Structures are given as structure tokens and as C-alpha cells.
Amino acid sequence: MERLITGIKNLDYILGGGIPAYSLNIISGSPGSGKTIFVQNIIFNNARNGLKSLYLTTISESQLKMVRHLQDFEFFSDDLLGDRVIYGDLGAVLRRQGASEGLDYLTRMIKEHLPNIVVIDSVKVIRDLFPDEKTFRAFVFELAAVLSIWEITAFLVGEYEEQELTRLSEFAIADGIFHLYGQEEKRFQKRYMRVLKMRGTSFQHGEHLFQIGPVGIEVYPRMRPEGEELRYDVKLGRKEFGICGLDEMLCGGLLEGTITLISGATGTGKTMFALKFLLEGAEKGEKGVFLSFEEPVDQLQNTARCLGWEIDKYLAEGQLEIKFISPVELDVDKHAFEILDMIGEKKVERFVIDSISSFESSVTDIQKYRDYLWAIGQQLRRRHVTTIFTVLNEDLFSPLVVSRAQLSLITDNIIILRYVEDNSSIRKVLGILKTRGSNHDNSLREYEISPEGINVLGRLAKADMLK
């Protein structure tokens, strides 16, 4: 199938390679949702590839005003105006001379310029020029007939609410429907896109985040497992922590390509265990990335130095990379996609997210939070990246609780860190709840974090220390 490549970041991936050529597509959404920029981005991208576009405005926005608003975007170029991007005013003809003359004007413009793409912005405004639904429906069907005669990919832009998409006549003629909308989620005002229909081709369903920035539109596809779930090559190699007692409990380390959850209360050392795992890999020439939502890079470096770890050396050599993202700025939809991009580009073998509790705090829907982690986990497994998620257990002396969000199902291995009371002192204990596909030591062992590093000690001396 011949396709129109949009050139918008990740949009062609969602569409399976682009929009089917010669199709008629409706771009719907409320005012300010980004419809016009979306289409303008497509036509200017295609203009650079030699395609010609005819952009017909109505009364919603003047051509000069539209061009003025586009000038700050990187996709815009004055050099393409009049040659590859041609503007016309269909609304004036419709208002003064009626629907029939409007269609004649459209036909004359197409014959004169022979465009590859035709845009009518806004078709909803044209609807308002007709006295009733019947006459507008007749116009819409004639419009579709005119556009179908020519080898043209068409876009009709309109200010529609989602409930209108199933009952208005113009949507019956559409081969493709894109719906753009915005909503407030916690501290973010976010924009989403859904492809509701794309006749003749498959596409990715669901809502996809998009942003409007200096480059134009950037789409972040909905996170989902690729291909068949739970099917990936199992590696039998192991990745050690470099913590002697812990690696013994794990029968030699974590199985390669698995997801491990380290759960513990504040101060139990989750971050240090995870960081040591990456440093051990760096010493063996394996590249690791530490994604921190809680401690800045300088703070992590300083803590590692205090434990005698050579973190500066591995950061300088590029074997270890620490990326800090403020939880205030965390947008899960965007960052989850960027994480996977970074993993692929840098050929990372060991990866840490510290902590996924920050993910949870930025998502309004707990099911969406679980879905994101599930999708990320699946893709990391497929790439054989051995991964650690840390999670905060808010109960300092809880029994062997992993997390409130029931995350144990998405992980292969679970290590818990917790406090225990012993007479008038507080001690630290670790245990391994599960290691999928491998044996492990079931005992609870004390550990200490000292200037010499992390030391796993003997078994818990007294069972009644767990309260």
C-alpha cells in the first residue's frame, strides 16, 4: 500500500508506516488541541520531500494569521510558500456564492495546482454555513466525490467533541479519523491523540501522548508489550551484585535479563544495593544506567565515594551513567518511551530505576501505573537488560510486604530490606522472596552498610526479632 509519510516523530510508527495515500482523513478536536499545527507539520514535512499541498482556510483563521503563528516552528519555511504550500480561501466563496460554487472553486484550485495533499480547515465552520443537516450531508458527499477523482490525500480539520464523531455525516465519508484532546493530570496539562479509524491498514489503538514544541509535533506511543506477551529468550548467565553474601543467596547472582524488585523502608539502603549492582557490572565492562528520581547525581557520587566505590572512574569512562529526573517534572507517558530509547541507543546491559514509587506518584490511575511497568519490564526482558526497580515500603517495621501496588507479579525476583528491633537497637535484615527460574537461599540475613561497603552477615539470630 502506498503511504503518505507524515515525518512526525513516532506517528508513522503508530500508523504502520504512514497514512494510506489518497485517503480522506478528519482531524478532530476542541479549539486549541493542536489540529492545525498537526496538519501543517505534515504538509511542510512533505513539501521538503517535493510534494505539493493546497491548504484551504475558512472563516476560523485568516491565512496571514496562520502563517504568522507557524513561523517559530522548525518545520516551517518561507521558501516553501506559494510553490509547495499553497493557501486559498474556500470560506469566502462558500459564504458569498454558495456550496455549488465552493465545490467548483475547489476543483479549479486542484486543476491549477495539482496538489498531492488538500487540507480544508475548518470543515466544521462550513457545516455552520448550511441551514440544515440534509443539505450539508449532500455537500459532504459531493466533496468526497470531488476529492476521490484526483490522486490526493485529504485532511478535513474540525472542532468536534468526541461524542459528535459517531453521529455527524462527515465522519461517514472518512477513511481515517484522528482525535486530539487535552486533559489535566496532576500537575501536567497533557495532550493526547487517538486514531479512531484508518481504513485498509492496521494501527496502534489507544491514547498516545503528544507534545507541541519548537520542532512541531512529537508523539510518544502508548506503552505496550510488543508482539506476544511473555515470550522472550531466557538467558542462563548471571549478573552479580559484587556483594558476597547476597550473591551466595542468589546462587551466583541475578539471572541475565530478569527484572528484580528491591523493596524496603526509607534508609534501608535500596539505592546503595542498586548502585553497587551497576558498579559491579561496570568493573566487568558492562554498561549500566541509573535513573534516579530521588537523589541528584552529586549526592549519589558522594555517597558512593564514602563507601569506597570507584564511581568517578566509571562515570568518566562512560561505563556508568546516572540520569536524574525531578519527580516534579516526571511525565510517565513521555519518560517511559525515552527510557527505552536510551536503553537501545547506549546498548545498556544493567539498568536501575530508583524508585518506581515516583512513577506511581505521577500517575492518577493505579492500573495505568501497573500497565506502564508491565510494558517497560517486558521490553527490557526482550532486550536482555538485567533491571532493578526499587520501591519504597512506607511501613518501617512491616512484615514481608513488597508494595501496596501489588507489583510482585511484574517482576522475576524480589529482595526485601527491612528493619528489626533487637532489645534497644534497630538492625537491618534482608530476605529473598522469589527468584523466577532459579533457586535461592530462603534465610533472613542481617546486613550492614559501613565505610567498607555493604556486608551481608549471618542468619537472623532470633525469630522473635521480626515484629
Side-chain angles (χ1 to χ4, degrees):
M1 175 185 290
E2 190 175 348
R3 294 178 184 269
L4 178 77
I5 306 300
T6 69
I8 290 177
K9 180 179 179 179
N10 297 321
L11 180 57
D12 295 309
Y13 165 73
I14 289 172
L15 299 171
I19 297 171
Y22 319 130
S23 59
L24 191 154
N25 305 277
I26 294 182
I27 315 300
S28 70
S30 57
S33 57
K35 303 179 298 300
T36 297
I37 295 173
F38 178 81
V39 178
Q40 295 277 5
N41 203 158
I42 292 174
I43 66 174
F44 274 94
N45 286 349
N46 278 280
R48 287 190 170 80
N49 293 326
L51 299 188
K52 184 182 289 188
S53 295
L54 176 60
Y55 200 106
L56 300 176
T57 58
T58 59
I59 61 174
S60 62
E61 192 167 19
S62 72
Q63 297 165 34
L64 288 176
K65 187 177 178 183
M66 181 180 296
V67 170
R68 190 162 58 244
H69 289 166
L70 294 173
Q71 288 177 336
D72 288 339
F73 289 109
E74 291 179 13
F75 65 75
F76 179 81
S77 172
D78 278 328
D79 297 338
L80 299 171
L81 295 178
D83 180 22
R84 294 295 172 188
V85 179
I86 300 142
Y87 288 99
D89 189 352
L90 178 62
V93 179
L94 286 168
R95 288 192 301 278
R96 294 170 188 165
Q97 302 178 49
S100 179
E101 282 301 315
L103 291 173
D104 288 344
Y105 171 79
L106 173 61
T107 302
R108 288 197 302 274
M109 292 290 280
I110 292 173
K111 285 182 178 178
E112 178 182 352
H113 298 289
L114 297 177
N116 306 96
I117 302 170
V118 168
V119 180
I120 298 178
D121 184 4
S122 133
V123 70
K124 185 68 176 297
V125 171
I126 296 176
R127 161 180 275 280
D128 296 337
L129 297 176
F130 286 81
D132 53 55
E133 181 68 25
K134 182 179 179 180
T135 53
F136 177 70
R137 185 185 301 118
F139 169 82
V140 164
F141 288 139
E142 285 190 55
L143 173 65
V146 169
L147 293 172
S148 67
I149 294 172
W150 307 88
E151 290 190 340
I152 287 171
T153 305
F155 295 93
L156 307 182
V157 181
E159 296 77 23
Y160 296 97
E161 298 298 331
E162 188 164 3
Q163 61 270 21
E164 296 178 298
L165 307 185
T166 57
R167 60 182 176 81
L168 298 182
S169 53
E170 51 268 49
F171 290 93
I173 64 170
D175 300 304
I177 300 175
F178 296 83
H179 185 58
L180 314 184
Y181 55 99
Q183 61 189 41
E184 192 166 333
E185 293 184 13
K186 294 209 169 174
R187 47 189 173 268
F188 295 103
Q189 181 63 39
K190 303 174 75 170
R191 298 175 189 268
Y192 288 102
M193 166 194 308
R194 282 199 290 146
V195 184
L196 301 181
K197 178 181 180 183
M198 191 56 65
R199 189 174 285 158
T201 184
S202 60
F203 58 90
Q204 289 191 24
H205 294 264
E207 63 181 15
H208 308 287
L209 177 78
F210 75 94
Q211 292 185 332
I212 300 176
V215 299
I217 302 277
E218 293 180 301
V219 180
Y220 296 91
R222 177 176 69 88
M223 288 296 301
R224 66 186 185 92
E226 290 182 349
E228 297 183 40
E229 296 182 12
L230 296 176
R231 181 169 295 180
Y232 50 90
D233 297 331
V234 177
K235 300 286 187 180
L236 297 179
R238 291 186 181 267
K239 303 288 188 185
E240 297 175 331
F241 275 83
I243 301 172
C244 185
L246 179 57
D247 289 326
E248 288 174 5
M249 294 176 73
L250 292 165
C251 298
L254 301 173
L255 279 176
E256 185 179 333
T258 55
I259 307 292
T260 300
L261 189 71
I262 299 181
S263 171
T266 181
T268 50
K270 302 181 296 300
T271 299
M272 292 300 97
F273 275 81
L275 185 56
K276 183 66 174 72
F277 177 73
L278 295 192
L279 289 167
E280 178 68 11
E283 188 172 336
K284 295 178 177 178
E286 299 170 1
K287 193 152 190 175
V289 169
F290 192 103
L291 192 61
S292 172
F293 296 113
E294 298 187 350
E295 296 186 45
V297 179
D298 290 346
Q299 187 171 330
L300 284 168
Q301 283 182 270
N302 187 54
T303 305
R305 289 179 197 131
C306 291
L307 295 174
W309 296 343
E310 295 183 294
I311 189 169
D312 298 319
K313 169 188 171 185
Y314 296 123
L315 286 172
E317 292 175 352
Q319 286 301 111
L320 173 65
E321 184 170 335
I322 300 175
K323 185 175 177 62
F324 172 72
I325 299 174
S326 166
V328 177
E329 301 299 325
L330 176 61
D331 183 337
V332 167
D333 297 273
K334 176 182 176 184
H335 285 108
F337 194 83
E338 291 179 340
I339 286 169
L340 294 174
D341 266 358
M342 180 175 61
I343 293 292
E345 289 173 5
K346 297 182 181 296
K347 299 181 179 178
V348 171
E349 294 184 62
R350 300 187 184 211
F351 179 59
V352 168
I353 297 180
D354 182 38
S355 74
I356 56 173
S357 304
S358 298
F359 268 58
E360 181 178 358
S361 64
S362 68
V363 177
T364 55
D365 182 350
I366 193 67
Q367 184 58 51
K368 184 176 182 179
Y369 166 63
R370 292 195 194 103
D371 290 346
Y372 270 106
L373 289 179
W374 174 266
I376 290 174
Q378 285 296 87
Q379 298 204 33
L380 289 169
R381 285 187 184 99
R382 288 178 189 280
R383 301 176 193 198
H384 307 299
V385 178
T386 311
T387 302
I388 290 178
F389 296 156
T390 69
V391 62
L392 175 67
N393 187 336
E394 294 178 350
D395 188 342
L396 296 181
F397 294 94
S398 73
L400 304 183
V401 173
V402 178
S403 76
R404 292 183 296 106
Q406 298 179 340
L407 298 175
S408 56
L409 295 177
I410 68 172
T411 60
D412 302 294
N413 318 304
I414 298 176
I415 298 171
I416 57 160
L417 310 178
R418 60 158 296 183
Y419 294 110
V420 296
E421 296 178 28
D422 183 23
N423 295 322
S424 299
S425 63
I426 297 174
R427 298 161 74 173
K428 295 174 182 172
V429 168
L430 69 81
I432 300 170
L433 287 190
K434 77 170 184 181
T435 53
R436 185 172 288 157
S438 172
N439 291 325
H440 65 269
D441 189 331
N442 290 313
S443 65
L444 294 171
R445 298 201 185 191
E446 293 183 58
Y447 68 94
E448 61 181 14
I449 301 176
S450 68
E452 286 74 39
I454 300 173
N455 301 305
V456 176
L457 308 173
R459 291 170 178 261
L460 191 63
K462 295 177 289 186
D464 60 0
M465 290 167 66
L466 287 174
K467 294 181 180 178

